[in-house]
Amino acid sequence: MAVLIDPSMWPAHGTVWSHLVSDTSLEELHAFARANDVPRRSFDLDHYDVPEHRVAELVAAGAQPVSGHELVSRLIASGLRVRARDR
């Protein structure tokens, strides 16, 4: 049971972005996001997009840093992954 965050590597809007996910439940993910002032508008079906400047703060709050590959693997294993074709 963990909230995970991958390295910032997705460019958009003048910065790079990370993904914040839960490998347990969307409720856990939303609760973590609320507790850390991550805006709900950043949620995209199975993850939150967070700008690079927030990563250290979210890790300090308990998000576990993992590789992008591990994040996707654990999201798929949790059953929470929304496939690209289903978006």
Side-chain angles (χ1 to χ4, degrees):
M1 297 188 290
V3 174
L4 313 171
I5 193 163
D6 65 359
S8 300
M9 60 191 305
W10 306 97
H13 310 290
T15 191
V16 288
W17 299 77
S18 292
H19 299 113
L20 186 69
V21 306
S22 169
D23 66 356
T24 305
S25 70
L26 291 179
E27 292 78 16
E28 176 186 45
L29 178 60
H30 292 312
F32 183 87
R34 275 192 309 275
N36 291 284
D37 298 318
V38 177
R40 181 64 183 230
R41 69 180 178 272
S42 300
F43 182 66
D44 186 15
L45 301 177
D46 60 6
H47 69 277
Y48 281 85
D49 293 317
V50 294
E52 180 179 39
H53 73 270
R54 297 282 323 267
V55 171
E57 172 190 347
L58 295 171
V59 169
Q64 179 182 353
V66 296
S67 70
H69 177 75
E70 183 174 350
L71 182 137
V72 171
S73 295
R74 289 174 65 177
L75 188 58
I76 290 169
S78 74
L80 298 173
R81 177 73 172 149
V82 176
R83 298 176 303 180
R85 70 179 184 203
D86 295 332
R87 290 187 179 272

